[in-house]
Amino acid sequence: GRLEDAFQHLQESLNIQRTFTPGDKARIAMTVHELARCLLNEGKYRDSEDLYRQSLNISLSFLPERHMNITITRGRLAQCLVYQFAVAEAESLLRQAIAVSFKSSQNVHKSLHAAWLALTLQLSKKKQEEVDTLLHESKKWAEQIQSKLDKAAVLSELGEVFTLKEECGHADETLKDALSIQQQHLAKTHHQTAETLCRIGECGAVQGKTDDSMKNFLESAEMMSSTSQHPLRARSLLGLGKFLCVKNKWQEAEGPLTEAVAILKHSLPQHPRTTEAITALSECLSMLDRSQDVNVVMQEHHQDDAFNVQESLHQLVGEYTEVHL
């Protein structure tokens, strides 16, 4: 999709609304929500998170707690947080969301919320019985979704959870069903198709399907070349680079891994995938007998970690001061 154009038009609309109809909170909240979704799809997760929080706060100021619009925004905010590996808050938001959506007739939202909560719990490595129940329920509701693209979005999320559980048969089938729909109904380079391709590559990696996975990772990365700073491109490049290392093609692996590290350090500095990419790049450089470059990469990583800890401490001190003074 043309996300930048959409974002620009929505921003202009929001400016007009805030100038001429500042009391129309429902419309303003909806526009902020759509702006957040554009940024989420662009891979700008922190900016997207800020706007989802704004939309949620506006909605909470005039709607009842269990209104479906609030539930939907909570779910999207949780999705954004899961992408950043902020799984504790994501779980809390999703449990609030499913308390409402599971009682509704909206199969899309209850299926997505179940899938995202299953993913959150699986990433947290806890409550496996609940994960299995959520997967079953989400897939059941997905079959009743009228929109093929909404159904594909759910199936792609479910496929990732199955991969993390190493249930590769279920993962492969679910992801390929999602991909088939997306390739029929979306633009050739749409980020949702690229994400599903990347997930198929990761599923293949678990199964040891080296050549197939490399092909999927490469295709996914190329599809995201127009949005070169998207974390999804980094995710695909990391998968490609790691497989090149497995094949002892160290020089070929250096480029994808270097680009993956650069993107992830900027967009997801505290995500486990960033550490994984830095470790893979360091191993690659070591095998190329470039120990000095390894030291530089690791030193920068430790400096980034120290900076992130310092920023978190400053934020906590500020919050404590606001509450107690």
Side-chain angles (χ1 to χ4, degrees):
R2 295 164 56 187
L3 295 173
E4 290 184 7
D5 290 342
F7 185 86
Q8 182 179 347
H9 290 310
L10 285 165
Q11 186 66 66
E12 291 172 357
S13 175
L14 181 62
N15 291 338
I16 293 170
Q17 291 166 22
R18 283 177 166 165
T19 301
F20 296 102
T21 56
D24 192 349
K25 292 184 177 182
R27 189 174 296 277
I28 290 173
M30 180 181 68
T31 305
V32 174
H33 180 103
E34 291 304 309
L35 281 166
R37 188 164 69 165
C38 283
L39 292 175
L40 178 64
N41 291 339
E42 288 181 7
K44 299 176 181 177
Y45 301 141
R46 283 174 289 186
D47 293 337
S48 176
E49 176 191 341
D50 290 342
L51 287 179
Y52 275 129
R53 291 189 190 281
Q54 286 183 37
S55 178
L56 182 60
N57 287 335
I58 295 168
S59 295
L60 284 168
S61 72
F62 72 97
L63 289 175
E65 176 78 17
R66 296 173 70 84
H67 194 281
M68 199 62 192
N69 286 0
I70 289 174
T71 298
I72 292 169
T73 303
R74 279 194 174 121
R76 288 295 176 183
L77 174 57
Q79 179 193 19
C80 190
L81 291 169
V82 170
Y83 284 166
Q84 298 176 82
F85 211 76
V87 290
E89 185 180 2
E91 180 183 347
S92 175
L93 286 164
L94 285 166
R95 291 199 183 281
Q96 293 178 70
I98 65 176
V100 178
S101 63
F102 278 20
K103 296 177 181 178
S104 76
S105 60
Q106 298 188 32
N107 291 315
V108 174
H109 298 301
K110 59 187 182 183
S111 186
L112 277 172
H113 293 164
W116 290 334
L117 182 55
L119 177 58
T120 302
L121 295 176
Q122 189 63 38
L123 289 171
S124 305
K125 300 184 185 301
K126 60 182 185 180
K127 300 179 181 176
Q128 292 302 299
E129 288 186 8
E130 185 178 3
V131 171
D132 292 338
T133 300
L134 289 164
L135 288 171
H136 174 77
E137 293 297 311
S138 180
K139 196 162 188 178
K140 178 185 70 177
W141 289 323
E143 295 302 323
Q144 302 172 43
I145 295 173
Q146 297 298 312
S147 166
K148 290 183 178 180
L149 287 176
D150 286 340
K151 178 179 179 180
V154 174
L155 292 177
S156 186
E157 298 288 348
L158 292 175
E160 177 163 359
V161 185
F162 283 131
T163 298
L164 290 171
K165 289 172 61 64
E166 297 188 6
E167 296 180 9
C168 297
H170 286 137
D172 197 52
E173 178 185 357
T174 305
L175 289 167
K176 286 179 178 177
D177 285 347
L179 182 65
S180 175
I181 295 170
Q182 290 164 341
Q183 288 178 331
Q184 289 179 53
H185 297 281
L186 291 173
K188 188 174 182 181
T189 58
H190 199 281
H191 72 276
Q192 289 184 6
T193 310
E195 183 172 39
T196 301
L197 270 171
C198 181
R199 285 168 166 166
I200 291 173
E202 290 168 344
C203 178
V206 174
Q207 296 173 287
K209 297 179 179 178
T210 307
D211 293 335
D212 288 343
S213 288
M214 285 182 61
K215 179 182 176 182
N216 288 319
F217 285 135
L218 181 59
E219 187 176 353
S220 176
E222 288 176 345
M223 290 170 69
M224 299 301 297
S225 59
S226 61
T227 51
S228 58
Q229 294 303 304
H230 200 298
L232 176 57
R233 176 171 168 81
R235 183 174 174 179
S236 299
L237 289 169
L238 173 59
L240 176 63
K242 287 175 66 177
F243 268 123
L244 289 169
C245 288
V246 169
K247 289 177 170 285
N248 296 324
K249 296 182 178 181
W250 308 106
Q251 288 184 325
E252 292 180 42
E254 181 185 355
L257 291 174
T258 300
E259 186 178 348
V261 168
I263 296 170
L264 290 169
K265 284 176 68 177
H266 172 73
S267 59
L268 297 171
Q270 295 176 296
H271 198 288
R273 189 173 292 122
T274 306
T275 301
E276 181 185 356
I278 290 169
T279 301
L281 176 58
S282 298
E283 179 187 359
C284 175
L285 293 172
S286 295
M287 297 305 295
L288 292 170
D289 199 23
R290 302 217 333 247
S291 56
Q292 186 173 354
D293 291 335
V294 173
N295 292 335
V296 170
V297 170
M298 297 307 297
Q299 184 177 6
E300 289 177 348
H301 179 47
H302 293 317
Q303 287 173 347
D304 289 341
D305 280 347
F307 176 78
N308 288 328
V309 169
Q310 189 175 27
E311 286 292 293
S312 298
L313 286 172
H314 282 315
Q315 184 178 357
L316 286 171
V317 170
E319 290 173 354
Y320 179 88
T321 303
E322 287 179 8
V323 171
H324 292 85
L325 294 182

